Amino acid sequence: MATGISRIRNIGITAHIDAGKTTLTERILFYSKKIHRIGEVDDGAATMDYMPQEQERGITITSAATSFLWRGHEIHLIDTPGHVDFTIEVERCLRVLDGVIAVLCAVGGVEPQTETVWHQADHYKVPRLAFVNKLDRVGADFHRAVSMMRERLGANPVPIQIPIFTADVFSGVIDLIHMRAIVWDQESLGQDFSYVEIPQECIEDARQARSFMLESVAEMDEQILETYLETEDLDEKQIIQALRIGTIANKLVPVLCGSALKNVGVQPVIDAVIDFLPSPADVPPVIGTNPHTGQQESRPPLGKAPLCALAFKVLMDQGRKATFLRVYSGELEAEKPVYNATRGIQERVARIFLVHANKREKVKSVQAGGIALAVGLKETKTGDTLADPSAPIVLESLETQTPVISIAVEPRTRSDQEKLLTSLEKIATEDPTFQFRENEDTGQMLVSGMGELHLEIILDRLKREYNVELVTGKPQVVYKETITTSGKAHVRFDREIHDVRHLGEVTVTVEPATRGEGISFTFDKALDAIPPDQRDSLEQGAREATLAGVVAGNEVVDIRVRFNSLSEDAVAMTGLGLKVAAAQACKEAFEKASPVLLEPYMNVEVVVPEESVGEVIADLNARRGKIEHISPRGKTSVINCVVPLVTMFGYSTSLRSISQGRGIFTMQYSHYDARL
């Protein structure tokens, strides 16, 4: 599959869960003759949902890539997940795509994940088309969906189609560019369609919609604007040219409509991809940093330019590592060395494949503008840049998100124990939002992810793909202890052990330190002359006493220990005697110093729609959160607060409920403190 760079389109399909992304993708592949039968999502037979977990749940979990031809153009398409737990999949795809089809449900309109994905596309300045899907559903409202795009997304939607309803039944669309109606033949599963006259009852609506479209597109180009002001009309070529200019500049969003499930309106969407979305040649040269000089450099999308490619996704396939790459400039060749400019190491590409879901086609090379899967890159990770060694460049890496929920896991058997760590490392290599660590205090293995579904899928993969059986539970918060006042104790330890007398006698004072200071030891002047080995024994005993406090047996932190005096019988004192006496004296001093329990507090940032702020704050207050400040961010508000970790378990579910799924939050460790 080879073609000029101006005839390439790298696009993604994004939307809220259940808006119909995968159903639309299935039709696109069918009409482009990439597949020969339509697989339905609800039947678990969709081509792009090839993981067992996707087929069982009827949702997209991992982004899947494919390529096909349409009107002499080569289109690389990525179908992305719609569930908030898998936002990273969308993020890393948007980083390398040149255009996006945003699918909206005609009933739900702009839904929560639509907003999230839209703002991600804003961040990467990715041009978009919108497809209002499911117009066959009861309650479908095309104009409401367009209005929501304007209000919630701050977009400039320009409908280039409007739906036709015959006796309240969706029957086709009106093409406003050519002013004609299009109807699809269901006998051919929508492969055949015809152009007909616009129904009489729809003519006035079509004229008004076309007038709005012309006014919107005329502003995109000065010459076209002059023509429009003179004639109050534009021909088809001028409209398409102006729409393309406006779309690529992110000044407008062409809006199409249809019903993918009913095979209506799909082919014009593929035409719109070619007509309005940019090729790699239309995108500005990619900018990066020379790792040797620190200077910014650019790479034009030319085959003769030095190689520059970004690794945007790592895949573990049957234990072997494969890497998805977007080639921005130059040519990536199989069996040739490449330079990982991010890590400063030489790598070798063994094989290169074009991908169709879980099927692969081996190729010798990939030109600028292409997306492919490379095998053999052992050290390359998500976000790394591959370059020509003679012209190194490092592109901006991918943004990752912090996991917000954790659970504890334990292997069922010894053999599972041996496989667990290796399996977790492989999954973490694939998924930057998945983390795991062993809790040093409890010995638990904690796995962390973006939400309950995310972790559920990972645990399922551990069982199916890696044959690791696990027992799962909830992680326990690790508490600590400290003191709030000073305490003093005197202990004499005198005991014969294995015919050896061990004596230790010490007076100790403990005082609270500032939070985060740790443990410090001092000696009164009267003890300046004691030998170093006795000092070591005293400090060792005191430190062992801090390993288990007197409140609940937790570690004691943030204290100052001062040794006041020792026994006058210095000759009889032994290291063991001093160590035991110091430990017992510290324990007694802790009890007299008003000990308290410390719990971990988290810095939490919550981003919610303005209308949900009151409820979210009330919920955070109920969780003993301390609100630090609230600031506006577009049509949302950002709440920054400090909240005890123990109250945050299950918060992701609670926040989604309060904000109708539109709220997101990040959480990171702040400090330990007494309960507020």
Side-chain angles (χ1 to χ4, degrees):
M1 191 187 287
T3 187
I5 195 167
S6 63
R7 288 183 167 266
I8 293 174
R9 299 291 184 274
N10 293 313
I11 65 165
I13 299 188
T14 65
H16 187 83
I17 192 169
D18 285 339
K21 297 179 306 303
T22 305
T23 302
L24 175 63
T25 304
E26 200 73 10
R27 269 64 183 175
I28 288 173
L29 295 176
F30 180 64
Y31 299 142
S32 65
K33 296 186 167 46
K34 183 72 178 184
I35 59 175
H36 303 293
R37 59 179 290 275
I38 296 174
E40 300 297 356
V41 175
D42 291 344
D43 298 335
T47 305
M48 304 298 272
D49 285 350
Y50 59 86
M51 290 176 65
Q53 294 89 346
E54 293 176 316
Q55 294 165 355
E56 290 168 3
R57 292 167 175 82
I59 62 170
T60 302
I61 290 168
T62 184
S63 49
T66 188
S67 301
F68 62 92
L69 292 173
W70 188 264
R71 279 172 41 191
H73 289 67
E74 180 182 322
I75 300 178
H76 303 145
L77 182 148
I78 297 179
D79 178 27
T80 65
H83 196 284
V84 68
D85 283 7
F86 309 105
T87 302
I88 186 64
E89 285 287 322
V90 186
E91 181 91 24
R92 54 187 175 186
C93 293
L94 288 173
R95 173 69 177 80
V96 299
L97 294 173
D98 300 324
V100 160
I101 303 170
V103 181
L104 280 73
C105 172
V107 180
V110 175
E111 296 172 282
Q113 186 65 359
T114 312
E115 291 184 64
T116 303
V117 174
W118 194 272
H119 296 319
Q120 287 173 317
D122 282 340
H123 175 74
Y124 292 114
K125 298 181 173 58
V126 183
R128 275 144 280 178
L129 304 173
F131 177 65
V132 179
N133 191 26
K134 300 191 177 185
L135 280 162
D136 59 302
R137 295 265 303 274
V138 175
D141 189 333
F142 173 75
H143 298 291
R144 174 176 167 271
V146 173
S147 296
M148 289 177 76
M149 287 181 65
R150 194 172 288 111
E151 294 162 9
R152 287 196 179 180
L153 304 176
N156 179 22
V158 178
I160 60 173
Q161 296 177 345
I162 59 172
I164 300 171
F165 288 94
T166 305
D168 292 334
V169 176
F170 176 58
S171 56
V173 304
I174 295 172
D175 175 358
L176 300 175
I177 297 175
H178 302 90
M179 282 302 278
R180 61 192 179 187
I182 313 175
V183 293
W184 276 262
D185 172 37
Q186 292 304 314
E187 293 284 326
S188 65
L189 296 176
Q191 288 186 90
D192 300 331
F193 56 91
S194 53
Y195 301 110
V196 298
E197 292 290 322
I198 297 172
Q200 196 64 35
E201 64 272 19
C202 300
I203 287 178
E204 187 56 35
D205 287 343
R207 283 176 180 160
Q208 288 181 11
R210 179 179 166 87
S211 177
F212 174 79
M213 177 189 71
L214 293 175
E215 288 175 11
S216 301
V217 303
E219 300 171 3
M220 299 298 123
D221 182 87
E222 286 187 14
Q223 288 186 329
I224 292 174
L225 179 59
E226 285 179 18
T227 304
Y228 177 69
L229 292 174
E230 288 173 10
T231 64
E232 293 190 357
D233 200 5
L234 297 169
D235 63 33
E236 288 89 346
K237 285 186 178 179
Q238 290 171 318
I239 295 170
I240 291 171
Q241 181 187 347
L243 281 165
R244 183 174 182 80
I245 292 169
T247 305
I248 292 174
N250 272 308
K251 292 182 178 178
L252 58 79
V253 180
V255 183
L256 300 93
C257 58
S259 169
L261 187 64
K262 299 295 183 184
N263 311 310
V264 174
V266 176
Q267 291 92 335
V269 175
I270 323 176
D271 288 333
V273 166
I274 291 169
D275 291 338
F276 309 132
L277 292 179
S279 73
D282 299 314
V283 178
V286 69
I287 295 173
T289 304
N290 185 314
H292 300 325
T293 66
Q295 299 294 312
Q296 277 203 340
E297 296 182 7
S298 63
R299 293 287 183 271
L302 301 172
K304 294 181 180 178
L307 172 67
C308 175
L310 183 73
F312 67 94
K313 181 176 177 177
V314 173
L315 190 69
M316 298 302 295
D317 182 23
Q318 296 177 347
R320 295 179 180 177
K321 184 178 176 183
T323 309
F324 275 101
L325 299 167
R326 162 70 192 265
V327 181
Y328 285 99
S329 66
E331 182 180 15
L332 183 73
E333 297 180 78
E335 300 178 6
K336 290 282 182 75
V338 292
Y339 181 64
N340 184 323
T342 306
R343 303 187 183 279
I345 57 173
Q346 200 85 1
E347 289 266 53
R348 184 179 179 83
V349 177
R351 288 166 292 162
I352 301 173
F353 299 92
L354 293 179
V355 175
H356 173 54
N358 60 340
K359 297 175 183 175
R360 299 174 185 178
E361 175 191 344
K362 190 175 179 180
V363 293
K364 292 183 178 179
S365 65
V366 183
Q367 300 287 336
I371 291 176
L373 187 70
V375 175
L377 299 170
K378 295 180 181 178
E379 303 298 327
T380 298
K381 296 183 179 179
T382 301
D384 286 1
T385 305
L386 301 181
D388 188 316
S390 62
I393 188 172
V394 177
L395 303 180
E396 179 189 355
S397 190
L398 289 157
E399 292 185 5
T400 59
Q401 289 141 329
T402 308
V404 296
I405 189 169
S406 303
I407 60 171
V409 298
E410 290 180 6
R412 283 189 184 274
T413 65
R414 184 175 292 276
S415 64
D416 290 325
Q417 173 77 50
E418 294 166 358
K419 291 184 288 186
L420 178 59
L421 204 58
T422 307
S423 304
L424 290 174
E425 285 172 352
K426 288 180 179 178
I427 292 175
T429 300
E430 283 186 302
D431 187 349
T433 60
F434 170 69
Q435 295 177 4
F436 66 94
R437 65 180 177 86
E438 186 175 320
N439 187 307
E440 293 178 2
D441 296 279
T442 64
Q444 285 181 315
M445 180 66 76
L446 296 181
V447 295
S448 307
M450 298 304 297
E452 285 126 319
L453 179 60
H454 186 200
L455 292 179
E456 180 188 323
I457 297 299
I458 284 169
L459 295 175
D460 192 48
R461 287 189 61 197
L462 283 167
K463 183 178 179 179
R464 293 193 197 205
E465 295 175 32
Y466 298 99
N467 298 314
V468 179
E469 294 284 348
L470 296 172
V471 177
T472 61
K474 293 182 180 179
Q476 299 296 313
V477 171
V478 179
Y479 291 94
K480 295 186 179 181
E481 297 178 24
T482 194
I483 55 176
T484 56
T485 62
S486 62
K488 191 171 185 178
H490 173 87
V491 167
R492 177 182 172 87
F493 176 81
D494 190 351
R495 187 172 302 172
E496 192 173 292
I497 303 173
H498 301 302
D499 299 326
V500 178
R501 182 190 180 201
H502 292 279
L503 173 67
E505 186 175 358
V506 62
T507 304
V508 170
T509 300
V510 294
E511 297 172 335
T514 55
R515 197 67 63 237
E517 186 178 321
I519 302 169
S520 61
F521 302 101
T522 57
F523 293 81
D524 282 357
K525 284 187 178 181
L527 302 180
D528 282 349
I530 67 169
D533 59 333
Q534 290 189 349
R535 283 177 177 261
D536 292 343
S537 296
L538 290 168
E539 288 187 13
Q540 191 178 352
R543 198 172 290 280
E544 286 184 3
T546 65
L547 297 177
V550 295
V551 178
N554 302 291
E555 180 188 2
V556 181
V557 296
D558 303 333
I559 60 167
R560 299 188 188 111
V561 179
R562 190 169 78 251
F563 297 99
N564 307 119
S565 64
L566 299 181
S567 168
E568 294 180 2
D569 189 0
V571 177
M573 286 192 296
T574 62
L576 179 59
L578 285 172
K579 179 180 170 182
V580 175
Q584 291 180 357
C586 284
K587 290 272 189 183
E588 288 186 22
F590 292 159
E591 290 178 346
K592 297 174 182 178
S594 304
V596 293
L597 209 58
L598 297 178
E599 61 180 336
Y601 281 78
M602 312 299 285
N603 285 323
V604 179
E605 181 182 270
V606 187
V607 183
V608 289
E610 293 169 355
E611 59 268 25
S612 301
V613 170
E615 263 192 281
V616 171
I617 289 175
D619 181 64
L620 289 169
N621 286 334
R623 295 172 186 271
R624 298 189 281 121
K626 181 183 178 184
I627 309 297
E628 296 191 322
H629 57 84
I630 303 168
S631 55
R633 185 189 291 173
K635 293 182 177 292
T636 61
S637 292
V638 182
I639 303 166
N640 290 97
C641 53
V642 178
V643 192
L645 174 60
V646 70
T647 69
M648 290 300 289
F649 291 120
Y651 183 65
S652 56
T653 305
S654 176
L655 179 62
R656 286 176 198 166
S657 174
I658 293 170
S659 62
Q660 287 77 52
R662 295 166 64 194
I664 57 173
F665 79 102
T666 56
M667 181 171 70
Q668 61 183 15
Y669 170 76
S670 172
H671 65 283
Y672 271 86
D673 210 342
R675 177 169 175 155
L676 298 176

